[in-house]
Amino acid sequence: MCSGNFAKCLGITLLPLAIICVICNIMLFFPGGKVADESSDITEEVFYFGGILGSGVVMIFPALVFLGLKNNDCCGCCGNESCGKRFAMFSSILFAAVGAVGASYSVIVSCLAINHGPKCFTTVEQVNASYPFADGNYLSNRTLWSECTGPGDIITWHLTLFCILLATGLVQIGLCAFQVINGLIGTICGDCCGCCGSS
């Protein structure tokens, strides 16, 4: 497969993943699927915008660059027809690195949020939401979940959405790593499809 075509496939894959991350992060602003009375009732890590910025907006730029590589004009650069395509493949490495950094940020935020646990109303504190768990102890001991009385099924909501962000971020990192390798091959060897779509 040509390096430009492969990059386009990666771009097509990254776009829906970025949209999923943005949607998950937005849904986290509604703890347990309910509108929070105060912003202080929302888990702190949601405001780090790991899904919206890291795996969302930042990932859009590499995805669009990868999509454009196949159609990039490569005719003419100091008399060398493949020079433009090689430069485009090299620049895709830089965008892939930016995408990997953004996805890594989302993964780190998700790991912290999963370990920290959700902010919820407890049997002791019904007015202000608090963090009843410590160091991820609720992950291995499901009986602790009864300490959270709301809003809604907050623990399942919290874990599901942050796990989706975590898994999606890891996939994005992997895809960006593939593009770094693909970009290096395209930079060194050129696009096997030749210049401007000709074989």
Side-chain angles (χ1 to χ4, degrees):
M1 176 183 278
C2 301
S3 55
N5 282 337
F6 184 71
K8 186 175 181 179
C9 291
L10 293 178
I12 290 170
T13 308
L14 284 172
L15 278 177
L17 291 175
I19 292 167
I20 288 169
C21 290
V22 170
I23 291 170
C24 284
N25 203 144
I26 290 170
M27 289 174 69
L28 283 163
F29 280 101
F30 302 94
K34 302 182 184 308
V35 177
D37 294 331
E38 300 176 20
S39 61
S40 59
D41 294 340
I42 300 172
T43 303
E44 183 180 328
E45 288 82 5
V46 175
F47 292 101
Y48 296 166
F49 300 109
I52 293 175
L53 293 178
S55 286
V57 174
V58 171
M59 194 56 66
I60 296 292
F61 298 111
L64 293 177
V65 168
F66 301 164
L67 284 171
L69 283 176
K70 178 67 181 109
N71 302 320
N72 193 28
D73 181 20
C74 61
C75 291
C77 173
C78 303
N80 185 351
E81 290 184 339
S82 66
C83 175
K85 179 64 89 174
R86 288 176 191 235
F87 179 76
M89 292 305 292
F90 175 74
S91 67
S92 76
I93 296 171
L94 302 177
F95 279 96
V98 169
V101 169
S104 298
Y105 173 72
S106 179
V107 165
I108 292 168
V109 170
S110 299
C111 288
L112 289 173
I114 291 168
N115 185 59
H116 202 197
K119 200 173 194 180
C120 60
F121 300 116
T122 63
T123 51
V124 178
E125 182 60 74
Q126 291 287 338
V127 179
N128 297 316
S130 60
Y131 293 101
F133 309 118
D135 299 325
N137 60 350
Y138 73 104
L139 295 170
S140 58
N141 187 358
R142 198 175 169 115
T143 56
L144 292 175
W145 290 23
S146 59
E147 291 183 26
C148 273
T149 58
D153 192 5
I154 184 66
I155 298 176
T156 304
W157 184 266
H158 177 88
L159 276 177
T160 301
L161 293 174
F162 273 115
C163 283
I164 290 171
L165 284 174
L166 175 63
T168 308
L170 290 172
V171 170
Q172 288 174 329
I173 292 169
L175 293 175
C176 287
F178 279 131
Q179 180 51 33
V180 167
I181 296 167
N182 182 48
L184 284 171
I185 293 170
T187 301
I188 295 167
C189 303
D191 193 331
C192 64
C193 290
C195 185
C196 297
S198 62
S199 305

